[in-house]
């Protein structure tokens, strides 16, 4: 830490804080004296902000490698690669490789004091679900289990692509790529997402949308008790008090309104009774198994054609006044429309009348995407206008009931924390338990809502008539 403090001083930071251990979140920032409201407690100069342009000025070999990788990926020349390097879609990739390069390949650069105080790989092996998802039951049976495995698989594919590139080009200055292992790659991704700040429109002297801010990133989060805010100024970033501060008081910022799902995945902690609810995400493909019904094949192709999501999303609703009971409870409109597609058959008037263009029809109406709404919104509205809509809605409700009951059973079935002595549960395990219980409560409420809707639909006259005719 002494080297980092010297680096802060040498780079002309304003710093009225000290870094200390906390009982709940590793390190934190604490005031070294009393502070007034609206006082600048930390100033980070622009030349100490870690952005893509700063990363690309750090090392000739690193920069040359990045430009070559981008040129190869997008099939462009090096000069064009230099232009697109700071595009949003490339920021995470470049900054993650920067972290690896300057922590493990060239650990003596000017950024070394900052690199050295970042959490090491072994820390994440015990404190991050991306590292633990294959080795313990902490997140087993929750929505996060699938998310973590999908994320890990994407990172592996990204790293494999890098290996393939390096083996194909065999340039001497790019040999360092072969030294990157999966743990390093996951470490860099965890560091990036847990510390990066989105600047977006308020950039000032900052180039790019994503920036890592040394010292700033020691500040812990509080949704409602934060006592600092950050502001981009003409020569860097300021952290400013929002009230008067006592000596040795912890300085907290708000990471924004984030659900526990996101906080746990990115930062490794949860907030009990978090006012921002976590989303429930259900994979779509089990509903569209082509082996069970060949008619699912064109449905899948049509969803791919319109670039639809591959999952259903439920966001617990607190104030919705929508008349649609599924929409008002929290299912997104796109998710409901997708389930209408899943639940409909050819006998209901659903058809694909052109095998090459996959034009979807509901009755005689072609589902198109007008200027101001998506194809799924069109599908949603058209299905709701059908005389047999209550039947479709019942099918959707029953399908969702089965899926949510399965998820709820998995959640509570893998919850074995009560059988373990409190002192034997790791900090990560305790945080996951907060999320697991929150998710179970949400799934339980969904089940209640779906059951109520099912019972209501079962006495609908259209449904009753349909069932009597079967």
């Amino acid at each position: 830490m002494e080297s980092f403090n010297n680096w802060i001083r040498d780079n002309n930071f304003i710093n009225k804080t000290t870094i200390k251990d906390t009982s709940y979140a590793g390190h934190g920032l604490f005031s070294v004296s009393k502070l007034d409201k609206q006082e600048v407690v930390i100033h980070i100069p622009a030349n100490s902000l870690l952005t893509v342009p700063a990363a690309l000025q750090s090392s000739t070999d690193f920069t040359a490698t990045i430009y070559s990788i981008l040129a190869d990926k997008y099939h462009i020349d090096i000069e064009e690669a230099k232009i697109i390097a700071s595009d949003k879609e490339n920021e995470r990739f470049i900054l993650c490789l920067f972290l690896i390069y300057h922590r493990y390949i060239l650990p003596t650069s000017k950024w070394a004091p900052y690199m050295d105080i970042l959490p090491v790989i072994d820390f994440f092996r015990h404190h991050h679900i991306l590292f633990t998802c294959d080795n313990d039951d902490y997140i087993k049976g929750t929505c996060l289990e699938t998310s973590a495995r999908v994320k890990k698989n994407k990172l592996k594919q990204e790293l494999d692509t890098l290996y393939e590139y390096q083996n194909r080009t065999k340039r001497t200055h790019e040999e360092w790529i072969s030294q990157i292992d999966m743990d390093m790659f996951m470490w860099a991704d965890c560091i990036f997402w847990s510390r990066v700040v989105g600047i977006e429109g308020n950039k000032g002297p900052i180039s790019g949308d994503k920036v890592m801010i040394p010292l700033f990133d020691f500040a812990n989060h509080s949704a409602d008790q934060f006592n600092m805010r950050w502001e981009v100024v003409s020569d860097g970033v300021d952290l400013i008090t929002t009230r008067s501060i006592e000596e040795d008081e912890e300085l907290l910022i708000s990471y924004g309104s984030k659900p526990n799902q996101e906080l746990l995945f990115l930062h490794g902690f949860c907030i009990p009774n978090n006012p921002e609810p976590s989303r429930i995400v259900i994979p779509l493909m089990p509903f569209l198994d082509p082996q069970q019904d060949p008619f699912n094949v064109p449905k899948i192709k049509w969803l791919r054609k319109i670039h639809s999501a591959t999952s259903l999303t439920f966001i617990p609703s607190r104030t919705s006044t929508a008349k649609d009971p599924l929409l008002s409870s929290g299912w997104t409109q796109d998710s409901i429309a997708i389930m209408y597609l899943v639940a409909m058959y050819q006998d209901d008037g659903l058809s694909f009348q052109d095998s090459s263009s996959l034009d979807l029809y509901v009755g005689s109406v072609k589902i198109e995407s007008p200027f101001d709404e998506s194809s799924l919104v069109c599908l949603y509205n058209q299905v709701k206008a059908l005389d047999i809509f209550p039947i479709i809605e019942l099918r959707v409700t029953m399908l969702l009931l089965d899926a949510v009951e399965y998820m709820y059973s998995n959640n509570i079935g893998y919850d074995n924390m009560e059988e373990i002595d409190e002192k034997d549960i790791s900090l990560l395990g305790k945080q996951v338990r907060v999320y697991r219980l929150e998710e179970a409560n949400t799934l339980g409420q969904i089940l209640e809502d779906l059951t109520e809707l099912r019972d209501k639909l079962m006495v609908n006259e259209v449904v009753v008539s349909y069932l009597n005719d079967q």
Side-chain angles (χ1 to χ4, degrees), residues 373-384:
E373 60 185 29
S374 72
S375 297
L376 287 175
V377 172
C378 297
L379 176 63
Y380 174 88
N381 291 327
Q382 189 58 36
V383 173
K384 287 183 72 69

Side-chain angles (χ1 to χ4, degrees), residues 76-315:
I76 56 179
D77 61 33
I78 294 297
E79 293 306 312
E80 290 175 305
K82 292 178 181 179
I83 295 172
I84 68 164
S86 294
D87 289 355
K88 287 183 180 182
E89 60 265 28
N90 296 318
E91 285 184 305
R92 182 202 64 85
F93 176 75
I94 293 174
L95 288 176
C96 282
L97 285 184
F98 172 91
L99 289 167
I100 294 169
Y101 189 84
H102 288 278
R103 180 65 180 85
Y104 296 103
I105 310 301
L106 187 67
T108 57
S109 73
K110 76 165 191 174
W111 292 96
Y114 178 51
M115 296 294 110
D116 289 344
I117 56 92
L118 296 174
V120 296
I121 289 174
D122 195 56
F123 172 86
F124 287 108
R125 286 187 180 129
H126 298 91
H127 295 89
H128 199 286
I129 59 175
L130 196 60
F131 279 81
T132 65
C133 63
D134 293 330
N135 302 317
D136 58 46
D137 292 337
Y138 282 157
I139 60 172
K140 197 168 183 64
T142 69
C143 290
L144 279 176
E145 180 183 12
T146 300
S147 299
R149 295 187 191 283
V150 168
K151 174 73 169 180
K152 194 169 184 176
N153 186 55
K154 286 183 178 179
L155 289 175
K156 184 179 184 306
Q157 291 175 358
E158 195 172 21
L159 182 56
D160 287 343
T161 300
L162 275 177
Y163 288 156
E164 186 277 329
Y165 163 82
Q166 196 269 328
N167 289 332
R168 176 162 43 82
T169 58
K170 298 188 184 300
R171 297 187 180 101
T172 302
H173 69 272
E174 296 174 351
E175 290 179 352
W176 61 273
I177 293 175
S178 64
Q179 300 177 45
I180 303 173
D181 60 28
M182 187 61 183
D183 279 358
M184 288 183 195
F185 211 59
M186 290 194 299
W187 168 85
D189 192 78
C190 292
I191 290 289
F192 175 82
W193 286 116
S194 63
R195 291 173 180 265
V196 73
V197 176
I199 298 297
E200 297 178 357
N202 190 13
K203 294 183 180 181
I206 301 172
S207 299
D209 289 307
K210 297 288 190 295
V211 57
M212 294 179 64
I213 309 177
L215 191 58
F216 175 117
D217 51 17
F218 276 102
N220 289 317
H221 166 74
S222 175
D224 54 4
Q225 298 296 319
F226 61 91
N227 49 26
M228 289 194 302
R229 62 180 177 86
W230 62 274
E231 181 179 322
V232 177
V233 293
S234 62
D235 58 346
V237 173
D238 285 348
L239 286 174
I240 304 167
T241 57
T242 58
R243 61 170 174 80
S244 59
I245 304 292
E246 296 299 314
E247 182 179 348
D248 202 37
E249 182 177 348
E250 184 172 10
L251 297 161
L252 304 167
I253 61 173
S254 171
Y255 295 173
S257 298
K258 298 182 183 295
N260 281 335
Q261 202 171 41
E262 183 176 349
L263 291 173
L264 182 59
F265 200 91
L266 298 183
H267 303 286
F269 70 88
C270 289
I271 300 174
N273 303 312
N274 190 338
E276 188 66 28
S278 293
R279 299 183 175 195
I280 300 297
V281 179
I282 302 178
L284 172 62
M285 295 317 294
F287 293 101
L288 289 170
D289 186 350
Q291 294 185 345
Q292 290 187 356
D293 184 355
F295 193 48
N296 285 330
V297 173
K299 291 180 181 180
I300 293 170
K301 290 181 177 179
W302 185 80
L303 289 171
R304 288 174 178 167
K305 172 187 171 183
I306 66 168
H307 306 291
S308 167
T310 58
S311 58
L312 309 174
T313 302
F314 178 92
I315 306 172

Side-chain angles (χ1 to χ4, degrees), residues 20-28 123 218 220-221 250 269 427:
K20 292 184 178 183
D21 289 335
T22 70
S23 60
Y24 67 95
H27 297 309
F123 172 86
F218 276 102
N220 289 317
H221 166 74
E250 184 172 10
F269 70 88
L427 178 60

